[in-house]
Every structure is written in C-alpha cells, then in structure tokens.
Amino acid sequence: MDNQTKKVLILGGGIAGLTAAWELSRQNISVELVEKSCFLGGHAIGFTCKATDKCQQCGACSVEDMLKNVVNEPLINVHLRTEIKELKKSAKFNITLTKSDIELPDSQIKNLPSGKAAKGFSKYNNPLYVTDSDKDKMGSSCQITADAVIVATGYSPFDPNRKSTYGYGKWKNVITGLDLENIIRENGSLVRPSDGQKPQKVAFIQCVGSRDERLGNLWCSEVCCPYAMRMAGTVKHDNPNADITMFYIDIQNSGKEFPVFYEKIKQNIRFVRTIPVDIYPLENDGLELRHMAEEEGSPSSESFDLVVLSVGIMPGKDSGKLSEITGIPVNQDGFLDNEISCCPCSSSAKSTQASQPSTSSQSASSIAGLFVAGTAKGPAGIAASMADAGKTAFEAMKYLGVIK
Amino acid sequence: MTTDKCTNVIEKCIDLKGSENCDDANMVDISISKDVLVIGAGSFGLEAAGKIAAQGYSVSVIGVKTACARQSGCSSEMLETGKVNIMQDVAIDSLAGVTGDFRAVLIKTAGNGTGCNETGCSEKVEKVFGAIVVAPQYSYSPLNKKYGLTLNDKVVSQSQFEAMLGDSESQKKILNSNNGNGSTVAFLTGFAQEGDPTLTSRVLTSALAVQNMENCNAYIYAGNVKVGAKGLERLFTQGRHAGVVCFKPSQMPTIEQTSTVEQDGNCDHKQVSETIKITIKDPVVRTDVELTPDYIVVEEALVVGQQNLDIASTLRIDADLYGFLPSNNVHRFPAKSNRDGIFVVNNSADAANTALKLKELIGNGIKKVAANKAKVDEDRCVICLTCYRSCPHGAIFWQNGAAAISQVACQGCGICASECPMDAIQIGDFTDDSLRTSIKDAVVSAKDNQKDGQPLIVAFCCKNSAFEACEAATQFGHEMPQGFRMVKVPCAGKVDVEFIMKAFVEGADGVMVAACHEGNCKAERGNIYAKWRVNEIQKRLEKMGLEKNRLIFTTIASNMAKEFAGKVNAFAAAIQ
C-alpha cells in the first residue's frame, strides 16, 4: 500500500505529539494532529531559554524548531481546540472528535487595543492571539478514520494548592516553576509578580508533589532539578547580585556533562538539604520560609523576596477519561501505560549495555495500533520526550507496515 | 524596498524537504550507498543493526566482542533478515569520503585492537558505506582509591558484588559471615563522583537483595540518591520499607580499613583479619555514627576508554567534555553527531530514531539535493586544507586537484567560505555578492526610517537563532529603534570581516553580530569563529582610533524575542 494512504491520528500537540507528527510526515504518512487547547506546543513552548553565555541544553529552542517544522508541513493537519470523544477499532480506527471546552489560559491573557486575548508563546502559533469569541469559532466536530493512533496528551503540573502551607495563590510572590518560565519568556528577565522588580533573594523548593509518599506520589519528576538549577543560573547571570537558595532532597542530573554543570552552579547557589515546612507573608510582599536545616539539626527561618515551587509532573488530568475512551490502561501512578514492568530506563545519557538489559520494544499498547508517547506515560524532559516520540513513531510505522 | 525591520531573504530549497516547492533545475540526484556500518557489537549496536537491516539496507557490524558471541543480543528477527553481517574482531582503521559515500578501511584485529600480533599485521579492506552508526561500549572502573580503600574479598566493587549475589557459593558466604549470623553490607555511592540513575538503580537493587537475605542488613551511604529514572523512587521506598538504611552525609564518610595479622604459633600459618569502620556525623543527634560492616561495596565510574576516543577521532565526530559520544548539543538530539550520516546509539530509543533518520537519509539510494549549497571555484582553490579543517560537518573532500563539497553532507553554514583565504567558496543562498547587497539595502532602508539622533544599527543575525528572535520581536510588537535593520546570515560563522567593515563603510553607527549561544550552534563552532572575528576587528578599530564598542558580539536563542529587542535597545543607547 502506498504510504500516502496511511493516516495516523495524534492526540496532543505538545513536544511529543509535534515530534511524532513530524517523524511520520518524513515517511510520507499523513497526520491528523488534535490539540485540546487553542495553541500548539504544550507546556514546553512557553519555556524560556536557560542559556547564560553558554547553552545549558534545556531544549526549549528545539520546541520552537519543531513547531516551525510542523506548521509548515502540508502532510500534518492540525485541529486546535479539539478533543477525542469516542474511539472504535475495526480494521481501522474510527474516531469521533469534538470541540473542547477548555478555557483560555489566564497566564496568557493580554490586553490588546482590540480587547482581551490569549497570546501564543511562539510566532509559529497560528492564530497568535485568541479572544473568547475567536475561541468559539475554533474546533472540529467530526469523524476521522485513521490507521493508527498515538496518544501524546502530556502531563498536568502538580497543583500547588495541595501543599497549602506554601500559600500559593495567597501570597503573590510564591510562584511555580512554570510561572517562572512564563514570566521570563514574557519579560525577558525575572520580575516579582507583586511589584515588577527584580528579586534579590530567591528560594527554590524542590520536590513539590514529587517523591511524596504521603501523597502517594512515588516518583521523581526528573525535570525539576535540571530546570531549577538552569533557571537559577539564568537568574544569577541576569542579576549577579541575586542570592539564590535551593531546598532539596537529592539533586538529580540534568543530562550530559552534569558534574561540570553542578560544580559550577554550586559556586553561585546555596544548596540546603531540607524541604521547608511553610511560608508566611512579610511586609513589602516578602516571604518568611520556615525549615528544619539538616546541617544544623534545628528549626530555622529565613526571608525571601520570591519563592519558586518546583512543581512535579503528574498524570494528565484527562488520563482517566482517555483511558476509558481508548482502552489504554493507567499504571499504578496514574500515567497512561502498558509497560507493566520496566527497567529503570533511558534517562541517563551514559547508559550502557553493561548496565541496561535490552528491553524489547514496549511502547506498543495492548490494542494493536494504539501507542503512547512522551509525558503521558511518565516524567520526561524535552529531549527525552522527543526521543520517545521518535521511537513511538518508529513503532507506529512498523505497525502500519510502512517500515519493517 | 522593504521597510520590515527583519528583512527576510527568501530561502531557496535549503532543507531538501518538500521538493515540490523547489526549482528542479537547481536540484541534483546523488546516489547514496545502501550499506551501513555499525561500529560496536553490544546489545544496542545490534538492536540498531536489526532495525536498520529491516529497512532493506545491508548492515556490517564490527566490534571486538559481539553480544551475539555472548548470546545476548542477536534477535532472530535480525538474523532472519539475512542483511546483517557480524564481523567479530574487526575494527575501523581509517575513514575517508563523505555522507552517502564513506570509504572505511576495516582491519582484522587480533583481539587486542591493533590488527597486529606476533605473526605480523593483518590485511586491510576498504568498503563503501552510505552511513555509519557508532554504538559506544563503555566499561566500569571501581573508585575504591578515592575512598582510600583496597579491594579484597570484603571490599568489593559494585560489579563484583553483583556477581557474588548471582553466585550461590558467595551468597552462602554473605549469609554465614559472623558465624552464621548474617552480614552487614555497606554501599558507598555518590562521594567519589556524581553518579547517575543507572548506577543508583544497581545499588538499590543489590541493597534490597541483601536486606531480603536472612539476618542481613544493607546500609547505603549516598551523596545524592539519583532516582531520576522510571521506577527508582518506588524501588528506593521499597528498600527503606524493607529496612535498608540510607545515610546522606554532606561529606564523604571517614573509612578506616585495618588489617591485623595474627600468628598462631605456627610460622607458616598467618591469620589476617580485617576490620572496616565507617564513621559519619549525624547532624540531628550530633554524634558520630559508626558502622563496622562485613562487606563494603564501592561505586564504579563509567570509563570512556581509548578505543572510543580513537573511533571518534577516526570518524571526526565530536565527543562531550568527558569523551562520551556524541557532543552535547540539543540540535543533534537524539542520536545525531556533528557529521550528517554518522549516528551515535546509546540506548534503545536512539536505535529506533537512528533507523528512522537513516531511512530519511538513504531512502531508495538516490537523494535529491540542492546543487548549489556550497561551491568551490576550482581555479582559485590552492588546496590549503583550511576548508577541510574548518568544516564542522566533514563535508569536504578532494576532486580534480581542488576541494569539493558534498551537497549531501553540507549544511550550508558558510564557515568554510569565510575561512577560505582565497575566497574560493560561495554559499548558494548567501553568496558574498548577495550579502553585500543585503548590507547595502539594510543601511539604505534604515536611513530612510531613522529618526533624528537615533543611531543606525545593522545586526548580522544567524538564521537559526537571532533571525527567528528578531522576527518574533517584530511580530510581538516589541519596540526597537527605527534605525535598526538586520541582515540574515546562514550562521554567524559566515560573517566575514569584510561584511562588518562594509556595514560601517555604508554608514552604520553600530554593528551587532548575533549568534547562537556557545554549545548551541548547529554548525558546532560558527559562533566561536564569529566571536574571534569580532574581537579581531574591535582591536583593529581601536588601533584606528575608533570606538570599539560600536561593534558587539552577542548570543541569543530563537525563542528570546523580548531579550533580542532588549539587546538592540541597550546597544542603541550605548552608542548614542
């Protein structure tokens, strides 16, 4: 069969969905790319470059590159503000799509001369601005037949309100790592939400929602240590007088060349091994952070201008619903996954044959032709999501007989 | 004339895709060998080989020891293709040619990696390959010396301990230490090196195994517990619930290894007994915590090895700071090296991605590429080798007594063209003439729009980063001076001294060269060449009595629109 007649439906237009779509289109497979929100790029398109003078390998620019690829590729047909309603498998997949009722993200609402609109982060977003009335016109309600389906619906960031003692939403200068990304992307440097000034004393709190047995979250989100450290480096580069502290349990690696990166960052940033207890407001929108410093073995407290909560990667809010629609099971952590048992795989760039048993390809779901890619199946950074999406595209093509 | 701040030079078929948009007259068919060489016969090398062979390409796998020989990596799927030729004890001796037509000289090794043994050196064979895949094989080395420890039957490396756990005799020994009362095993990790999740996973697995043995106890002394991989936090928690104790002292524990020799009257019969004591300071109870374990398991470091460094240098591909392949550049991720057509496979995802990228590269063996990406004027070329040395993509070879550029491997960055002392190289979409015209047009257009008293600024912008940022800044309405114009270049490495000087001569008050951040250049070193040239010209400007700060070098990423506008505004303010 001619490749041209093969079609794959991809749910999710974040970095995994974009990459999978692009790789499929390279082999002349047409793609229906379905995105629930009004913009492509997912969380990662709102991430900021974390270079100092040197690139810190965060991968944010790769998302921009991939979005550019996808929007210029005629084989990829994009459905914004659209979600899946029903999926039936016969010889092919029959999918019913419907307009999603997702709200425009508050963090992206801008006041334009023409009124209020949500703004896409990249110039490759089309449309670039969406107003409420534009939104109502967007979305596809239709039936699509596809030969295979890739679910790349991503993650939901941990809801910091579940850690109520940190006062997220109550104290203006307690923000999440994602807020921080967007603030820098929008302003070109870090400014405090309360007064628009550059903060001098900044704290990062790691593992907010991750590695938390009490919450039942028995996983490391893998991306937070890298992003917090890179971000701290960027903030320090922009404002050399900034005084930055990171509260942590264990520092996780950021990929290749980590030891050099870590040694350097340790010279600029204070690391304190403890997870703070709570945060109280001070005058001038300052914050008092109480913690039990392990080194001293006694309670202490310290004031900061801004506190960043490194919220973790949680299963997508829709994963239960998607599991019902598609039949893909969720694992014990709530991520969409058919890999019941798996080795600790692939996040180390230095993985070797000696230590990693070769696992047979396992991304294939129990229903033939249905695949999961990216953070929908567990924590991953940009680079790892892209690699996984490529691998998933490979397996989907194998299923389609486009490749062997 | 365009009044856009970001004048967009129309890109011709630079990236080969969507050939329907391309003028066929400018395209040329190049044949690509459908044979692929895989260097490294470990399990990932073989996995890649199987996936590549399944696409219909012939694969030769070379390596000193193959995973097949160890019975652990040759899937029947792979062997059934009949397309995989496993050549044991064969190494690569040298490599010439370019993507699609690599000429590899293979040599039979005597198991010692050199190709020579007492009876002489073996024959060399030259073979042609369209693409090459490297699956590096690293080894482990114990870090006992960093802890001041000597390895013996009680102080062992992680690998040795894993072997002990897998061997029933050794297991009995562990169980029966202390007169049958079980053992205490201490694991040391993350003090002699940072470590990574793969190593942590091995420690956690071994510690849990120990804890599950009767009367045995596992203690982990860790710097940072690297749980950043799937399933590890769960494994860590499982271990703690089973009773594994984990200490995370802020410094390497103090360890005393003492052996006492006891003589029992018979001079031939010496009894050597050893005690090991680990001491850490507990910050909460503020006392020293001591442990005298029966076994100490020491962490291991991943070692690159000379063999991998040799392969990298033979293939002319860059490694990262520690010698691991490939170099650390986000644009190459996953699996690409700085040379198109040479891939690096470190895991299963890399193997699948490599197979896809190979299929895209080789296709049916005929590739349509733009004919004019880069051209050498043969009459001008003096074969000085400058282009060969400066090309980050290894795209340059020799033909008819002159340098020639592979239109498949060339990425059009233009570093060679800028470095060529004879000006013998022209880049298809960015010829020297077209760039001179762009510079002139930019200045003229800026003059037309410039407000009184505002400086006239020309920025040379790399099309991969600064150009994108500049366009986005314009599109998002970030204010920039009226007298600002940009000139798009294929890479900052194509910004010649001549172009910078021309911008000044035409009337620019300030010139900015905007490149990718160090380590982010798609041409690996284009930004570094650009920085050198800017520094050189600044010195010359100073000697000429001119203000050197009228020329600046800056780095930016494609998604930094706001920052780009900020940099331009700051520059304008500085030179006003």
Side-chain angles (χ1 to χ4, degrees):
Chain A
M1 200 187 287
D2 185 358
N3 290 354
Q4 281 290 2
T5 62
K6 298 284 186 190
K7 184 187 276 184
V8 175
L9 179 110
I10 298 179
L11 292 174
I15 184 59
L18 293 172
T19 308
W22 173 246
E23 290 297 343
L24 289 164
S25 73
R26 298 302 77 213
Q27 309 295 337
N28 279 320
I29 295 165
S30 65
V31 175
E32 302 288 340
L33 183 59
V34 178
E35 167 57 42
K36 193 171 65 169
S37 79
C38 297
F39 301 104
L40 285 177
H43 294 293
I45 197 67
F47 292 176
T48 185
C49 169
K50 291 167 202 71
T52 49
D53 286 328
K54 268 185 148 175
C55 172
Q56 303 297 330
Q57 316 295 330
C58 74
C61 58
S62 315
V63 184
E64 189 84 8
D65 261 9
M66 193 53 80
L67 183 57
K68 177 186 181 180
N69 286 341
V70 166
V71 298
N72 289 317
E73 173 53 59
L75 279 171
I76 303 170
N77 187 27
V78 177
H79 305 263
L80 294 171
R81 200 209 166 201
T82 302
E83 63 186 352
I84 187 170
K85 192 177 170 189
E86 204 179 6
L87 176 140
K88 281 185 190 150
K89 169 95 195 269
S90 49
K92 292 185 172 193
F93 290 93
N94 294 306
I95 301 110
T96 310
L97 298 178
T98 182
K99 290 186 179 197
S100 75
D101 53 5
I102 193 167
E103 293 294 316
L104 293 175
D106 282 343
S107 60
Q108 282 169 255
I109 304 284
K110 298 285 165 262
N111 284 310
L112 299 176
S114 54
K116 280 190 174 179
K119 180 179 145 188
F121 282 104
S122 164
K123 69 172 186 285
Y124 294 108
N125 272 136
N126 181 24
L128 191 53
Y129 295 95
V130 177
T131 63
D132 270 320
S133 61
D134 294 337
K135 191 190 92 172
D136 295 339
K137 290 174 212 142
M138 294 169 75
S140 311
S141 288
C142 58
Q143 296 272 344
I144 282 181
T145 309
D147 299 287
V149 175
I150 296 176
V151 178
T153 45
Y155 68 96
S156 292
F158 177 76
D159 174 7
N161 292 307
R162 291 185 66 195
K163 291 264 189 186
S164 57
T165 59
Y166 289 156
Y168 181 79
K170 268 195 288 185
W171 326 128
K172 280 182 195 163
N173 294 327
V174 177
I175 62 173
T176 67
L178 291 173
D179 296 334
L180 175 60
E181 296 272 6
N182 296 350
I183 288 171
I184 298 185
R185 187 73 192 260
E186 191 54 34
N187 298 282
S189 66
L190 172 60
V191 293
R192 287 213 304 183
S194 67
D195 56 9
Q197 298 298 306
K198 286 188 182 181
Q200 290 307 310
K201 263 197 97 182
V202 181
F204 284 84
I205 302 178
Q206 298 308 106
C207 291
V208 178
S210 316
R211 303 189 69 187
D212 191 324
E213 202 170 353
R214 204 169 49 80
L215 294 171
N217 296 344
L218 285 184
W219 65 88
C220 164
S221 292
E222 301 178 32
V223 300
C224 330
C225 283
Y227 87 52
M229 281 188 282
R230 287 177 179 132
M231 204 55 115
T234 310
V235 171
K236 188 84 183 169
H237 183 72
D238 181 52
N239 177 12
N241 294 322
D243 176 354
I244 303 174
T245 307
M246 238 178 107
F247 295 95
Y248 73 103
I249 304 174
D250 291 294
I251 294 299
Q252 305 302 325
N253 295 7
S254 63
K256 294 193 85 168
E257 299 179 356
F258 175 73
V260 182
F261 168 74
Y262 187 36
E263 274 312 308
K264 208 163 175 195
I265 211 91
K266 275 197 276 194
Q267 293 164 13
N268 287 320
I269 286 148
R270 184 167 63 114
F271 285 84
V272 179
R273 180 172 254 156
T274 188
I275 292 300
V277 182
D278 47 22
I279 299 170
Y280 290 98
L282 295 172
E283 283 173 18
N284 305 323
D285 298 312
L287 299 159
E288 184 82 3
L289 191 148
R290 297 201 306 175
H291 60 86
M292 180 75 86
E294 201 176 85
E295 300 288 304
E296 293 113 47
S298 59
S300 63
S301 87
E302 200 176 337
S303 64
F304 290 95
D305 298 334
L306 181 87
V307 176
V308 183
L309 308 179
S310 293
V311 291
I313 287 184
M314 301 293 127
K317 284 211 172 77
D318 293 343
S319 58
K321 194 172 124 194
L322 281 162
S323 173
E324 267 176 43
I325 295 173
T326 59
I328 300 170
V330 292
N331 66 14
Q332 55 189 347
D333 297 331
F335 291 99
L336 292 166
D337 208 336
N338 277 26
E339 301 170 39
I340 300 308
S341 69
C342 180
C343 59
C345 354
S346 75
S347 86
S348 158
K350 296 174 188 174
S351 48
T352 65
Q353 294 91 331
S355 62
Q356 294 209 337
S358 141
T359 49
S360 56
S361 48
Q362 286 176 324
S363 338
S365 306
S366 54
I367 302 168
L370 206 47
F371 304 87
V372 187
T375 53
K377 63 181 176 194
I382 292 170
S385 292
M386 291 174 77
D388 185 60
K391 186 177 186 228
T392 308
F394 179 87
E395 276 150 16
M397 287 182 233
K398 209 168 155 182
Y399 166 78
L400 296 174
V402 173
I403 58 174
K404 280 149 226 134
Chain B
M1 188 169 305
T2 172
T3 53
D4 278 356
K5 284 210 178 93
C6 296
T7 321
N8 190 349
V9 179
I10 295 161
E11 254 182 72
K12 286 175 216 149
C13 288
I14 269 203
D15 43 8
L16 325 173
K17 61 174 197 279
S19 53
E20 67 275 10
N21 299 327
C22 297
D23 181 356
D24 260 355
N26 287 330
M27 302 300 282
V28 52
D29 283 345
I30 292 184
S31 77
I32 309 256
S33 164
K34 289 161 86 173
D35 290 356
V36 177
L37 174 66
V38 174
I39 303 173
S43 55
F44 295 122
L46 292 172
E47 183 179 346
K51 289 191 154 94
I52 295 161
Q55 312 315 314
Y57 307 130
S58 295
V59 185
S60 300
V61 186
I62 60 169
V64 175
K65 257 190 298 181
T66 70
C68 279
R70 298 194 302 270
Q71 308 275 307
S72 66
C74 289
S75 63
S76 51
E77 183 192 3
M78 176 177 104
L79 296 171
E80 278 160 20
T81 60
K83 287 276 196 183
V84 181
N85 176 24
I86 295 169
M87 304 156 84
Q88 196 164 331
D89 292 333
V90 171
I92 184 162
D93 189 56
S94 66
L95 182 77
V98 288
T99 313
D101 183 28
F102 286 117
R103 311 286 166 110
V105 175
L106 304 181
I107 185 163
K108 185 94 183 147
T109 65
N112 59 6
T114 64
C116 299
N117 59 20
E118 306 82 38
T119 58
C121 295
S122 48
E123 241 174 79
K124 296 175 178 183
V125 193
E126 188 186 276
K127 282 197 74 170
V128 173
F129 296 101
I132 297 173
V133 176
V134 186
Q137 283 178 287
Y138 304 123
S139 56
Y140 282 107
S141 155
L143 293 169
N144 53 296
K145 282 189 185 141
K146 292 212 176 181
Y147 288 93
L149 291 168
T150 308
L151 293 185
N152 54 35
D153 56 349
K154 299 285 183 188
V155 179
V156 297
S157 72
Q158 179 65 38
S159 296
Q160 286 172 322
F161 192 72
E162 283 162 2
M164 285 166 71
L165 287 174
D167 172 65
S168 57
E169 280 304 306
S170 311
Q171 255 195 37
K172 266 184 215 153
K173 265 193 203 161
I174 299 172
L175 272 167
N176 294 326
S177 291
N178 296 316
N179 307 318
N181 289 326
S183 290
T184 299
V185 182
F187 295 84
L188 302 172
T189 179
F191 298 104
Q193 61 175 354
E194 255 312 297
D196 62 46
T198 309
L199 301 169
T200 298
S201 160
R202 296 172 63 193
V203 171
L204 294 178
T205 307
S206 298
L208 187 59
V210 167
Q211 194 65 34
N212 287 335
M213 287 161 78
E214 210 179 338
N215 293 327
C216 291
N217 290 298
Y219 290 81
I220 298 173
Y221 293 81
N224 281 302
V225 182
K226 304 287 180 181
V227 288
K230 192 169 185 173
L232 289 192
E233 175 68 9
R234 196 170 280 279
L235 184 61
F236 183 49
T237 310
Q238 201 186 338
R240 281 187 294 123
H241 288 184
V244 175
V245 177
C246 182
F247 292 116
K248 289 190 266 186
S250 55
Q251 274 159 359
M252 185 185 274
T254 313
I255 308 171
E256 292 166 64
Q257 184 179 24
T258 43
S259 37
T260 24
V261 181
E262 292 161 14
Q263 291 193 341
D264 55 1
N266 180 349
C267 288
D268 297 334
H269 209 101
K270 283 181 193 170
Q271 190 86 33
V272 182
S273 72
E274 187 179 79
T275 39
I276 318 152
K277 192 169 78 181
I278 307 176
T279 312
I280 55 163
K281 229 179 218 3
D282 188 299
V284 180
V285 294
R286 290 163 192 264
T287 54
D288 284 352
V289 179
E290 288 179 2
L291 186 77
T292 47
D294 303 297
Y295 291 93
I296 283 199
V297 183
V298 188
E299 65 182 311
E300 294 168 318
L302 211 49
V303 181
V304 174
Q306 192 57 41
Q307 201 192 345
N308 284 307
L309 297 175
D310 290 345
I311 290 169
S313 101
T314 303
L315 301 182
R316 294 204 290 140
I317 56 172
D318 297 335
D320 76 1
L321 273 177
Y322 297 99
F324 293 103
L325 296 171
S327 61
N328 197 10
N329 184 324
V330 289
H331 299 301
R332 316 231 183 286
F333 195 85
K336 281 185 174 175
S337 74
N338 52 300
R339 294 189 73 182
D340 215 23
I342 301 184
F343 301 86
V344 181
V345 170
N346 280 310
N347 54 47
S348 191
D350 286 351
N353 279 285
T354 296
L356 277 185
K357 287 179 192 342
L358 269 178
K359 192 166 162 71
E360 201 182 328
L361 173 73
I362 302 177
N364 61 1
I366 303 286
K367 192 156 187 72
K368 230 182 204 2
V369 296
N372 65 341
K373 275 204 241 170
K375 268 222 146 71
V376 180
D377 180 341
E378 292 181 4
D379 296 335
R380 287 192 179 195
C381 177
V382 294
I383 328 185
C384 67
L385 297 180
T386 304
C387 56
Y388 177 82
R389 278 192 292 261
S390 64
C391 176
H393 308 291
I396 295 175
F397 59 103
W398 311 107
Q399 191 174 277
N400 310 329
I405 298 173
S406 157
Q407 301 303 315
V408 179
C410 174
Q411 307 292 309
C413 67
I415 293 176
C416 60
S418 288
E419 287 297 300
C420 175
M422 301 304 293
D423 283 336
I425 303 173
Q426 292 295 327
I427 303 302
D429 295 308
F430 296 92
T431 60
D432 289 352
D433 281 343
S434 75
L435 282 170
R436 284 182 200 114
T437 309
S438 300
I439 296 163
K440 195 168 180 190
D441 289 352
V443 174
V444 171
S445 151
K447 272 185 186 156
D448 289 349
N449 289 276
Q450 188 182 13
K451 281 191 184 150
D452 281 346
Q454 274 196 344
L456 197 161
I457 294 173
V458 171
F460 290 96
C461 292
C462 165
K463 73 171 177 155
N464 298 312
S465 54
F467 165 74
E468 296 281 340
C470 177
E471 277 210 324
T474 310
Q475 203 169 331
F476 285 118
H478 300 318
E479 293 271 325
M480 288 190 281
Q482 295 290 319
F484 164 75
R485 288 293 177 278
M486 70 131 232
V487 174
K488 181 185 179 184
V489 290
C491 169
K494 179 69 191 96
V495 182
D496 299 14
V497 171
E498 177 212 329
F499 299 145
I500 294 172
M501 296 318 286
K502 181 169 174 68
F504 282 121
V505 170
E506 291 290 341
D509 299 312
V511 174
M512 185 183 212
V513 176
C516 304
H517 292 111
E518 194 183 326
N520 190 272
C521 177
K522 285 187 178 172
E524 212 81 358
R525 293 176 284 276
N527 46 2
I528 297 178
Y529 281 106
K531 194 176 177 180
W532 281 346
R533 290 186 203 130
V534 167
N535 284 342
E536 277 310 306
I537 302 171
Q538 282 177 333
K539 280 183 212 155
R540 281 196 226 172
L541 289 174
E542 215 167 18
K543 272 187 197 158
M544 288 154 70
L546 299 169
E547 299 161 61
K548 68 168 186 176
N549 63 359
R550 289 188 175 275
L551 170 65
I552 60 163
F553 172 83
T554 193
T555 55
I556 196 106
S558 58
N559 59 355
M560 295 171 80
K562 186 80 180 183
E563 287 91 336
F564 183 85
K567 282 179 186 235
V568 172
N569 288 322
F571 183 42
I575 60 172
Q576 197 146 24

